[in-house]
Amino acid sequence: SYELTQPLSVSVALGQTARITCGGNNIVSKNVQWYQQKPGQAPVLVIYRDSNRPSGIPERFSGSNSGNTATLIISRAQVGDEADYYCQVWDSSIDVVFGGGTKLTVL
Amino acid sequence: QVQLVESGGGVVQPGKSLRLSCAASGLIFSAYGMHWVRQAPGKGLEWVALISFDGSNERYVDSVEGRFTISRDNSKNMVYLQMNSLRPEDTAVYYCAKDSSEYGDYVGAFDIWGRGTMVTVSS
């Protein structure tokens, strides 16, 4: 089976840049999505196909994917960005896989 | 706007069955694959099942294969999850999610989510 590994938690100072990683074997060969989930709410798609932002998502959110690691980058972090973040991939041999999630804290 | 509304959750004893429903509005429902994703209390997201836009293809996570069945009715803009032989470990919030891929034979992003319905399996 295919596994996606995320850090349990990431902290970032207010206004600085947060980087949340998602590790997987040759993940560069897959499209990676990122979801933001605030307490008591449904997940929201923030990045699709590695680095694309849906409409309504701030430009401060960006993504990259290389080798065995995909990264969600949140620039100029705000208190409102505090949430759990999940990466997700699919291919026909593994179906859909989510990472374990990362709790982002803005200090 | 596009909206997904789940229903059918509740408390059920182990071994029993439950059927979840998801009503979609604001989209050409028959063009998109649909998914069920669950989240156990305090845990992460787990994909459960998908059904293709026309209902011709279904896929399941191993832990529910043979117990759960996903289906859809494009005439009613509805997707369902029939859950049989429920176990305590099936306790979770179940989300319905739309796939971004239009008439696709692949999975895109989960671009629209419902608010979820809670399923508790307990004696």
Side-chain angles (χ1 to χ4, degrees), chain B residues 13-56:
Chain B
Q13 293 179 330
K16 300 296 187 181
S17 299
L18 206 58
R19 188 199 199 201
L20 305 183
S21 300
C22 172
S25 59
L27 77 164
I28 303 175
F29 180 71
S30 60
Y32 299 98
M34 296 294 295
H35 302 262
W36 287 96
V37 177
R38 68 184 178 184
Q39 186 170 36
K43 302 298 185 182
L45 301 174
E46 181 185 36
W47 172 78
V48 175
L50 74 84
I51 187 165
S52 59
F53 65 95
D54 59 358
S56 64

Side-chain angles (χ1 to χ4, degrees), chain B residues 26-107:
Chain B
L27 77 164
I28 303 175
F29 180 71
S30 60
Y32 299 98
M34 296 294 295
H35 302 262
W36 287 96
V37 177
R38 68 184 178 184
Q39 186 170 36
K43 302 298 185 182
L45 301 174
E46 181 185 36
W47 172 78
V48 175
L50 74 84
I51 187 165
S52 59
F53 65 95
D54 59 358
S56 64
N57 184 36
E58 305 163 25
R59 300 285 296 176
Y60 301 90
V61 68
D62 287 348
S63 59
V64 309
E65 183 86 56
R67 299 189 298 124
F68 290 11
T69 302
I70 189 171
S71 61
R72 66 188 295 160
D73 185 338
N74 285 347
S75 68
K76 296 181 179 178
N77 287 8
M78 297 288 294
V79 62
Y80 306 98
L81 187 68
Q82 177 67 44
M83 304 185 294
N84 298 333
S85 302
L86 281 162
R87 305 167 179 168
E89 54 264 37
D90 296 320
T91 295
V93 174
Y94 283 74
Y95 294 101
C96 171
K98 169 189 165 292
D99 197 298
S100 62
S101 170
E102 187 174 345
Y103 299 114
D105 58 359
Y106 62 93
V107 172

Side-chain angles (χ1 to χ4, degrees), chain A residues 9-20 34-39 41 44 46 53 56-62 72-86 102-107:
Chain A
S9 63
V10 168
S11 297
V12 61
L14 183 68
Q16 297 304 301
T17 298
R19 292 176 174 83
I20 299 173
W34 290 92
Y35 302 89
Q36 175 193 70
Q37 186 181 33
K38 296 182 178 179
Q41 298 184 18
V44 172
V46 294
R53 275 178 295 104
I57 300 301
E59 292 183 7
R60 301 185 297 102
F61 288 79
S62 61
L72 173 68
I73 302 154
I74 306 172
S75 304
R76 303 183 300 282
Q78 301 177 0
V79 173
D81 298 331
E82 287 198 333
D84 293 327
Y85 290 86
Y86 296 89
T102 298
K103 182 178 180 61
L104 177 68
T105 300
V106 179
L107 304 172

